[in-house]
Amino acid sequence: VDTVPILAQLLHSPQPAVQLQTVYALGVLASADEDSASAVLLSGTVAPLSTLLLSSSSVDVKQHLTLTLA
């Protein structure tokens, strides 16, 4: 999926609203099918998602992160 690298970059946004929408989009892609899940995993998004989980002050972002990482 060509959009995954762009979404991975958006995870670094300082805006919680952008982070939330990006995490949500990655979660939807990861749950769509096996190829999309592999694309999300192989794009290197796990480390930034994990970092965001630890550093975000937004409860909404953390809730969506846990679903995306599951």
Side-chain angles (χ1 to χ4, degrees):
V1 179
D2 295 335
T3 58
V4 175
I6 296 167
L7 291 171
Q9 291 178 353
L10 288 173
L11 289 171
H12 300 287
S13 170
Q15 302 289 332
V18 173
Q19 294 170 348
L20 178 62
Q21 292 301 314
T22 303
V23 168
Y24 181 78
L26 286 168
V28 169
L29 284 172
S31 65
D33 58 45
E34 196 171 310
D35 288 338
S36 296
S38 293
V40 170
L41 181 64
L42 295 174
S43 69
T45 58
V46 174
L49 285 168
S50 299
T51 299
L52 192 55
L53 180 63
L54 296 173
S55 65
S56 178
S57 60
S58 169
V59 173
D60 289 334
V61 170
K62 288 185 177 201
Q63 286 174 336
H64 282 285
L65 274 164
T66 54
L67 294 172
T68 299
L69 289 169

